[in-house]
Amino acid sequence: MSSRYITIEREYGSGGTQIARLLSERTGVPCYGKEILEKVSRDKNIPVETIEKYEEKATNSILYSVYLMSQMSAGNSDMLTGEGHIYIAEQKVIREFAKKGSAIFLGHCASEALTEYDNVIKVFIRCSNEDIKRQMIADTYGIPANEIDVVRRKFDKKRSNYYGINTERKWRDFNEYDIVLDSAAIGIEGCVDILEGLLK
């Protein structure tokens, strides 16, 4: 059965963004990652940089998670924090993009936004080889070798916290995903080959 939507969560330095963009080029299916932030930025008249700071402030505190989920469930948006409002806006934008047709979504808890949609494949991309991961980070982002590990941990923590606070699930719990791909084992092209078959 073909799939209309692929949502991708990924480790920093796994090549997940590159995989998603290449998959989009090959299939002609649009890919939305930074485009989600840009649309929220336009809709809310908030700079993308400010939105990114809100995402970084998300905490994995259990009490905060319970509070945020209870306010959203009650439809009490006025009681949400700035981070909560940004999350709600991102979820709305993801659903707007999904209404246009098949799509690839990068991060932003897209699978949560599409829980009522059929044919959604949830993907996690990791890189099991630390040397390959460091090299990919250096090549992609130009980060000095002595800063790579610090930057990688920062971004993975941000993604994990943001996912956890907004879904009440663990980001690296591979049982949460339909497919887990290791870019170190099968390569960027190999990952794209596998995912391409789901969109044909």
Side-chain angles (χ1 to χ4, degrees):
M1 180 179 68
S2 64
S3 181
R4 288 176 56 89
Y5 308 102
I6 291 180
T7 65
I8 298 176
E9 295 289 337
R10 73 281 190 211
E11 291 178 343
Y12 188 75
S14 66
T17 301
Q18 185 180 350
I19 290 165
R21 298 296 176 185
L22 183 55
L23 178 63
S24 177
E25 288 176 18
R26 280 200 200 171
T27 62
V29 174
C31 177
Y32 303 107
K34 66 182 187 321
E35 294 83 359
I36 296 167
L37 294 184
E38 290 167 353
K39 179 71 164 58
V40 171
S41 174
R42 292 193 300 271
D43 291 349
K44 298 291 187 181
N45 195 28
I46 301 173
V48 169
E49 295 76 16
T50 301
I51 296 173
E52 290 174 334
K53 287 178 181 177
Y54 274 130
E55 289 187 348
E56 287 177 8
K57 285 169 63 180
T59 173
N60 59 0
S61 159
I62 293 296
L63 289 176
Y64 182 81
S65 298
V66 171
Y67 170 75
L68 178 60
M69 298 303 288
S70 68
Q71 295 304 316
M72 289 192 307
S73 296
N76 194 0
S77 61
D78 288 341
M79 293 296 292
L80 292 176
T81 62
E83 300 97 287
H85 282 290
I86 291 300
Y87 172 73
I88 295 296
E90 288 179 357
Q91 295 280 289
K92 178 183 176 185
V93 165
I94 289 167
R95 286 189 286 268
E96 287 176 4
F97 285 147
K99 287 178 182 177
K100 297 179 180 180
S102 295
I104 302 158
F105 292 98
L106 266 171
H108 303 289
C109 306
S111 60
E112 194 73 6
L114 302 178
T115 51
E116 296 183 3
Y117 283 68
D118 294 326
N119 298 334
V120 177
I121 298 294
K122 297 177 285 186
V123 177
F124 190 92
I125 298 173
R126 63 189 299 261
C127 181
S128 62
N129 186 301
E130 291 298 317
D131 291 335
I132 292 175
K133 187 184 293 185
R134 289 189 187 96
Q135 190 61 54
M136 197 173 301
I137 292 171
D139 293 344
T140 304
Y141 305 106
I143 296 172
N146 64 334
E147 298 178 16
I148 286 175
D149 288 340
V150 172
V151 172
R152 175 178 59 80
R153 284 193 293 268
K154 173 188 172 183
F155 276 93
D156 279 349
K157 182 178 181 181
K158 169 188 168 182
R159 291 172 181 177
S160 178
N161 285 352
Y162 193 73
Y163 186 87
I165 185 70
N166 291 306
T167 68
E168 295 189 303
R169 296 192 295 274
K170 292 186 181 298
W171 182 64
R172 274 203 176 94
D173 180 356
F174 296 151
N175 291 320
E176 294 291 333
Y177 304 94
D178 301 305
I179 297 174
V180 178
L181 299 175
D182 185 348
S183 59
I186 58 179
I188 299 295
E189 293 281 348
C191 292
V192 176
D193 290 341
I194 291 169
L195 297 177
E196 185 177 8
L198 299 172
L199 290 173
K200 285 186 174 179

PDB file of all heavy atoms in Angstrom, residues 14-40:
ATOM      1  N   SER A  14      22.552  12.745  11.435  1.00  0.00           N
ATOM      2  CA  SER A  14      22.187  11.467  10.817  1.00  0.00           C
ATOM      3  C   SER A  14      21.973  11.599   9.311  1.00  0.00           C
ATOM      4  O   SER A  14      21.843  10.590   8.614  1.00  0.00           O
ATOM      5  CB  SER A  14      20.909  10.910  11.453  1.00  0.00           C
ATOM      6  OG  SER A  14      19.807  11.757  11.153  1.00  0.00           O
ATOM      7  N   GLY A  15      21.899  12.827   8.833  1.00  0.00           N
ATOM      8  CA  GLY A  15      21.604  13.045   7.415  1.00  0.00           C
ATOM      9  C   GLY A  15      20.120  13.049   7.124  1.00  0.00           C
ATOM     10  O   GLY A  15      19.712  12.992   5.963  1.00  0.00           O
ATOM     11  N   GLY A  16      19.302  13.131   8.161  1.00  0.00           N
ATOM     12  CA  GLY A  16      17.858  13.072   7.986  1.00  0.00           C
ATOM     13  C   GLY A  16      17.297  14.161   7.088  1.00  0.00           C
ATOM     14  O   GLY A  16      16.427  13.898   6.247  1.00  0.00           O
ATOM     15  N   THR A  17      17.802  15.372   7.249  1.00  0.00           N
ATOM     16  CA  THR A  17      17.328  16.468   6.404  1.00  0.00           C
ATOM     17  C   THR A  17      17.715  16.228   4.954  1.00  0.00           C
ATOM     18  O   THR A  17      16.900  16.407   4.032  1.00  0.00           O
ATOM     19  CB  THR A  17      17.901  17.818   6.889  1.00  0.00           C
ATOM     20  OG1 THR A  17      17.484  18.039   8.244  1.00  0.00           O
ATOM     21  CG2 THR A  17      17.431  18.965   6.007  1.00  0.00           C
ATOM     22  N   GLN A  18      18.944  15.811   4.731  1.00  0.00           N
ATOM     23  CA  GLN A  18      19.413  15.511   3.377  1.00  0.00           C
ATOM     24  C   GLN A  18      18.580  14.390   2.751  1.00  0.00           C
ATOM     25  O   GLN A  18      18.209  14.462   1.570  1.00  0.00           O
ATOM     26  CB  GLN A  18      20.891  15.106   3.415  1.00  0.00           C
ATOM     27  CG  GLN A  18      21.514  14.884   2.055  1.00  0.00           C
ATOM     28  CD  GLN A  18      22.986  14.487   2.162  1.00  0.00           C
ATOM     29  OE1 GLN A  18      23.591  14.560   3.230  1.00  0.00           O
ATOM     30  NE2 GLN A  18      23.547  14.062   1.041  1.00  0.00           N
ATOM     31  N   ILE A  19      18.272  13.379   3.531  1.00  0.00           N
ATOM     32  CA  ILE A  19      17.451  12.266   3.043  1.00  0.00           C
ATOM     33  C   ILE A  19      16.068  12.752   2.630  1.00  0.00           C
ATOM     34  O   ILE A  19      15.559  12.411   1.557  1.00  0.00           O
ATOM     35  CB  ILE A  19      17.344  11.175   4.126  1.00  0.00           C
ATOM     36  CG1 ILE A  19      18.705  10.471   4.294  1.00  0.00           C
ATOM     37  CG2 ILE A  19      16.255  10.159   3.792  1.00  0.00           C
ATOM     38  CD1 ILE A  19      18.827   9.650   5.559  1.00  0.00           C
ATOM     39  N   ALA A  20      15.454  13.571   3.461  1.00  0.00           N
ATOM     40  CA  ALA A  20      14.111  14.078   3.172  1.00  0.00           C
ATOM     41  C   ALA A  20      14.096  14.946   1.921  1.00  0.00           C
ATOM     42  O   ALA A  20      13.202  14.828   1.072  1.00  0.00           O
ATOM     43  CB  ALA A  20      13.583  14.871   4.365  1.00  0.00           C
ATOM     44  N   ARG A  21      15.103  15.816   1.785  1.00  0.00           N
ATOM     45  CA  ARG A  21      15.146  16.706   0.617  1.00  0.00           C
ATOM     46  C   ARG A  21      15.413  15.924  -0.669  1.00  0.00           C
ATOM     47  O   ARG A  21      14.826  16.213  -1.715  1.00  0.00           O
ATOM     48  CB  ARG A  21      16.218  17.780   0.824  1.00  0.00           C
ATOM     49  CG  ARG A  21      15.976  18.709   2.011  1.00  0.00           C
ATOM     50  CD  ARG A  21      14.717  19.537   1.852  1.00  0.00           C
ATOM     51  NE  ARG A  21      14.462  20.356   3.040  1.00  0.00           N
ATOM     52  CZ  ARG A  21      13.387  21.105   3.216  1.00  0.00           C
ATOM     53  NH1 ARG A  21      12.454  21.131   2.287  1.00  0.00           N
ATOM     54  NH2 ARG A  21      13.221  21.814   4.323  1.00  0.00           N
ATOM     55  N   LEU A  22      16.294  14.937  -0.592  1.00  0.00           N
ATOM     56  CA  LEU A  22      16.586  14.121  -1.769  1.00  0.00           C
ATOM     57  C   LEU A  22      15.373  13.281  -2.146  1.00  0.00           C
ATOM     58  O   LEU A  22      15.056  13.117  -3.335  1.00  0.00           O
ATOM     59  CB  LEU A  22      17.798  13.227  -1.499  1.00  0.00           C
ATOM     60  CG  LEU A  22      18.280  12.343  -2.663  1.00  0.00           C
ATOM     61  CD1 LEU A  22      18.567  13.177  -3.909  1.00  0.00           C
ATOM     62  CD2 LEU A  22      19.528  11.561  -2.251  1.00  0.00           C
ATOM     63  N   LEU A  23      14.676  12.766  -1.158  1.00  0.00           N
ATOM     64  CA  LEU A  23      13.455  12.011  -1.408  1.00  0.00           C
ATOM     65  C   LEU A  23      12.422  12.888  -2.115  1.00  0.00           C
ATOM     66  O   LEU A  23      11.739  12.447  -3.053  1.00  0.00           O
ATOM     67  CB  LEU A  23      12.894  11.494  -0.079  1.00  0.00           C
ATOM     68  CG  LEU A  23      11.581  10.725  -0.136  1.00  0.00           C
ATOM     69  CD1 LEU A  23      11.729   9.449  -0.953  1.00  0.00           C
ATOM     70  CD2 LEU A  23      11.097  10.407   1.289  1.00  0.00           C
ATOM     71  N   SER A  24      12.321  14.133  -1.687  1.00  0.00           N
ATOM     72  CA  SER A  24      11.398  15.076  -2.307  1.00  0.00           C
ATOM     73  C   SER A  24      11.777  15.335  -3.765  1.00  0.00           C
ATOM     74  O   SER A  24      10.914  15.356  -4.651  1.00  0.00           O
ATOM     75  CB  SER A  24      11.385  16.387  -1.517  1.00  0.00           C
ATOM     76  OG  SER A  24      10.550  17.343  -2.123  1.00  0.00           O
ATOM     77  N   GLU A  25      13.070  15.508  -4.010  1.00  0.00           N
ATOM     78  CA  GLU A  25      13.537  15.743  -5.385  1.00  0.00           C
ATOM     79  C   GLU A  25      13.206  14.565  -6.290  1.00  0.00           C
ATOM     80  O   GLU A  25      12.777  14.739  -7.432  1.00  0.00           O
ATOM     81  CB  GLU A  25      15.048  15.988  -5.389  1.00  0.00           C
ATOM     82  CG  GLU A  25      15.470  17.320  -4.815  1.00  0.00           C
ATOM     83  CD  GLU A  25      16.984  17.464  -4.768  1.00  0.00           C
ATOM     84  OE1 GLU A  25      17.672  16.691  -5.490  1.00  0.00           O
ATOM     85  OE2 GLU A  25      17.474  18.319  -4.021  1.00  0.00           O
ATOM     86  N   ARG A  26      13.423  13.369  -5.790  1.00  0.00           N
ATOM     87  CA  ARG A  26      13.204  12.164  -6.604  1.00  0.00           C
ATOM     88  C   ARG A  26      11.728  11.924  -6.906  1.00  0.00           C
ATOM     89  O   ARG A  26      11.372  11.483  -7.997  1.00  0.00           O
ATOM     90  CB  ARG A  26      13.753  10.940  -5.880  1.00  0.00           C
ATOM     91  CG  ARG A  26      15.237  10.752  -5.990  1.00  0.00           C
ATOM     92  CD  ARG A  26      15.529   9.291  -5.679  1.00  0.00           C
ATOM     93  NE  ARG A  26      16.901   9.044  -5.307  1.00  0.00           N
ATOM     94  CZ  ARG A  26      17.319   7.876  -4.840  1.00  0.00           C
ATOM     95  NH1 ARG A  26      16.461   6.889  -4.650  1.00  0.00           N
ATOM     96  NH2 ARG A  26      18.587   7.696  -4.533  1.00  0.00           N
ATOM     97  N   THR A  27      10.880  12.174  -5.922  1.00  0.00           N
ATOM     98  CA  THR A  27       9.464  11.814  -6.063  1.00  0.00           C
ATOM     99  C   THR A  27       8.567  12.966  -6.488  1.00  0.00           C
ATOM    100  O   THR A  27       7.440  12.737  -6.936  1.00  0.00           O
ATOM    101  CB  THR A  27       8.930  11.260  -4.728  1.00  0.00           C
ATOM    102  OG1 THR A  27       9.033  12.281  -3.720  1.00  0.00           O
ATOM    103  CG2 THR A  27       9.721  10.032  -4.293  1.00  0.00           C
ATOM    104  N   GLY A  28       9.046  14.191  -6.318  1.00  0.00           N
ATOM    105  CA  GLY A  28       8.199  15.342  -6.604  1.00  0.00           C
ATOM    106  C   GLY A  28       7.212  15.632  -5.484  1.00  0.00           C
ATOM    107  O   GLY A  28       6.365  16.522  -5.610  1.00  0.00           O
ATOM    108  N   VAL A  29       7.320  14.895  -4.372  1.00  0.00           N
ATOM    109  CA  VAL A  29       6.445  15.121  -3.215  1.00  0.00           C
ATOM    110  C   VAL A  29       7.072  16.225  -2.363  1.00  0.00           C
ATOM    111  O   VAL A  29       8.247  16.136  -2.009  1.00  0.00           O
ATOM    112  CB  VAL A  29       6.287  13.829  -2.389  1.00  0.00           C
ATOM    113  CG1 VAL A  29       5.498  14.105  -1.105  1.00  0.00           C
ATOM    114  CG2 VAL A  29       5.590  12.753  -3.213  1.00  0.00           C
ATOM    115  N   PRO A  30       6.320  17.265  -2.032  1.00  0.00           N
ATOM    116  CA  PRO A  30       6.908  18.376  -1.275  1.00  0.00           C
ATOM    117  C   PRO A  30       7.394  17.966   0.110  1.00  0.00           C
ATOM    118  O   PRO A  30       6.812  17.082   0.753  1.00  0.00           O
ATOM    119  CB  PRO A  30       5.772  19.400  -1.185  1.00  0.00           C
ATOM    120  CG  PRO A  30       4.525  18.621  -1.417  1.00  0.00           C
ATOM    121  CD  PRO A  30       4.894  17.500  -2.338  1.00  0.00           C
ATOM    122  N   CYS A  31       8.468  18.613   0.540  1.00  0.00           N
ATOM    123  CA  CYS A  31       9.047  18.371   1.860  1.00  0.00           C
ATOM    124  C   CYS A  31       8.911  19.643   2.690  1.00  0.00           C
ATOM    125  O   CYS A  31       9.252  20.734   2.225  1.00  0.00           O
ATOM    126  CB  CYS A  31      10.521  17.982   1.723  1.00  0.00           C
ATOM    127  SG  CYS A  31      11.352  17.735   3.308  1.00  0.00           S
ATOM    128  N   TYR A  32       8.411  19.491   3.903  1.00  0.00           N
ATOM    129  CA  TYR A  32       8.212  20.623   4.791  1.00  0.00           C
ATOM    130  C   TYR A  32       9.003  20.430   6.081  1.00  0.00           C
ATOM    131  O   TYR A  32       8.784  19.477   6.816  1.00  0.00           O
ATOM    132  CB  TYR A  32       6.730  20.787   5.130  1.00  0.00           C
ATOM    133  CG  TYR A  32       5.829  20.943   3.930  1.00  0.00           C
ATOM    134  CD1 TYR A  32       4.997  19.900   3.526  1.00  0.00           C
ATOM    135  CD2 TYR A  32       5.830  22.122   3.192  1.00  0.00           C
ATOM    136  CE1 TYR A  32       4.156  20.041   2.426  1.00  0.00           C
ATOM    137  CE2 TYR A  32       4.997  22.277   2.080  1.00  0.00           C
ATOM    138  CZ  TYR A  32       4.163  21.227   1.702  1.00  0.00           C
ATOM    139  OH  TYR A  32       3.350  21.377   0.608  1.00  0.00           O
ATOM    140  N   GLY A  33       9.930  21.325   6.323  1.00  0.00           N
ATOM    141  CA  GLY A  33      10.709  21.327   7.548  1.00  0.00           C
ATOM    142  C   GLY A  33      10.775  22.757   8.038  1.00  0.00           C
ATOM    143  O   GLY A  33       9.917  23.227   8.780  1.00  0.00           O
ATOM    144  N   LYS A  34      11.774  23.477   7.544  1.00  0.00           N
ATOM    145  CA  LYS A  34      11.886  24.898   7.881  1.00  0.00           C
ATOM    146  C   LYS A  34      10.694  25.678   7.346  1.00  0.00           C
ATOM    147  O   LYS A  34      10.341  26.750   7.856  1.00  0.00           O
ATOM    148  CB  LYS A  34      13.192  25.482   7.336  1.00  0.00           C
ATOM    149  CG  LYS A  34      13.296  25.531   5.835  1.00  0.00           C
ATOM    150  CD  LYS A  34      14.631  26.079   5.388  1.00  0.00           C
ATOM    151  CE  LYS A  34      14.759  26.315   3.899  1.00  0.00           C
ATOM    152  NZ  LYS A  34      14.176  25.363   3.000  1.00  0.00           N
ATOM    153  N   GLU A  35      10.034  25.117   6.318  1.00  0.00           N
ATOM    154  CA  GLU A  35       8.859  25.778   5.746  1.00  0.00           C
ATOM    155  C   GLU A  35       7.720  25.893   6.767  1.00  0.00           C
ATOM    156  O   GLU A  35       6.906  26.815   6.691  1.00  0.00           O
ATOM    157  CB  GLU A  35       8.361  25.003   4.514  1.00  0.00           C
ATOM    158  CG  GLU A  35       9.319  25.008   3.336  1.00  0.00           C
ATOM    159  CD  GLU A  35      10.421  23.953   3.428  1.00  0.00           C
ATOM    160  OE1 GLU A  35      10.470  23.213   4.438  1.00  0.00           O
ATOM    161  OE2 GLU A  35      11.212  23.866   2.469  1.00  0.00           O
ATOM    162  N   ILE A  36       7.684  24.970   7.712  1.00  0.00           N
ATOM    163  CA  ILE A  36       6.667  25.033   8.769  1.00  0.00           C
ATOM    164  C   ILE A  36       6.903  26.263   9.641  1.00  0.00           C
ATOM    165  O   ILE A  36       5.978  27.029   9.923  1.00  0.00           O
ATOM    166  CB  ILE A  36       6.698  23.745   9.617  1.00  0.00           C
ATOM    167  CG1 ILE A  36       6.323  22.535   8.761  1.00  0.00           C
ATOM    168  CG2 ILE A  36       5.752  23.863  10.822  1.00  0.00           C
ATOM    169  CD1 ILE A  36       6.617  21.195   9.411  1.00  0.00           C
ATOM    170  N   LEU A  37       8.163  26.463  10.038  1.00  0.00           N
ATOM    171  CA  LEU A  37       8.512  27.632  10.849  1.00  0.00           C
ATOM    172  C   LEU A  37       8.249  28.925  10.092  1.00  0.00           C
ATOM    173  O   LEU A  37       7.763  29.907  10.657  1.00  0.00           O
ATOM    174  CB  LEU A  37       9.981  27.571  11.260  1.00  0.00           C
ATOM    175  CG  LEU A  37      10.410  26.456  12.204  1.00  0.00           C
ATOM    176  CD1 LEU A  37      11.878  26.626  12.563  1.00  0.00           C
ATOM    177  CD2 LEU A  37       9.565  26.449  13.463  1.00  0.00           C
ATOM    178  N   GLU A  38       8.591  28.923   8.799  1.00  0.00           N
ATOM    179  CA  GLU A  38       8.418  30.135   7.987  1.00  0.00           C
ATOM    180  C   GLU A  38       6.944  30.510   7.867  1.00  0.00           C
ATOM    181  O   GLU A  38       6.589  31.689   7.909  1.00  0.00           O
ATOM    182  CB  GLU A  38       9.053  29.932   6.616  1.00  0.00           C
ATOM    183  CG  GLU A  38      10.585  29.867   6.672  1.00  0.00           C
ATOM    184  CD  GLU A  38      11.221  29.354   5.393  1.00  0.00           C
ATOM    185  OE1 GLU A  38      10.457  28.908   4.489  1.00  0.00           O
ATOM    186  OE2 GLU A  38      12.458  29.390   5.289  1.00  0.00           O
ATOM    187  N   LYS A  39       6.070  29.503   7.731  1.00  0.00           N
ATOM    188  CA  LYS A  39       4.635  29.773   7.632  1.00  0.00           C
ATOM    189  C   LYS A  39       4.097  30.281   8.967  1.00  0.00           C
ATOM    190  O   LYS A  39       3.301  31.238   9.003  1.00  0.00           O
ATOM    191  CB  LYS A  39       3.902  28.489   7.225  1.00  0.00           C
ATOM    192  CG  LYS A  39       2.383  28.622   7.100  1.00  0.00           C
ATOM    193  CD  LYS A  39       1.987  29.451   5.890  1.00  0.00           C
ATOM    194  CE  LYS A  39       0.518  29.284   5.514  1.00  0.00           C
ATOM    195  NZ  LYS A  39      -0.453  29.623   6.560  1.00  0.00           N
ATOM    196  N   VAL A  40       4.509  29.677  10.068  1.00  0.00           N
ATOM    197  CA  VAL A  40       4.091  30.165  11.390  1.00  0.00           C
ATOM    198  C   VAL A  40       4.584  31.594  11.591  1.00  0.00           C
ATOM    199  O   VAL A  40       3.863  32.445  12.110  1.00  0.00           O
ATOM    200  CB  VAL A  40       4.625  29.248  12.509  1.00  0.00           C
ATOM    201  CG1 VAL A  40       4.366  29.875  13.881  1.00  0.00           C
ATOM    202  CG2 VAL A  40       3.981  27.869  12.438  1.00  0.00           C
TER     203      VAL A  40
END
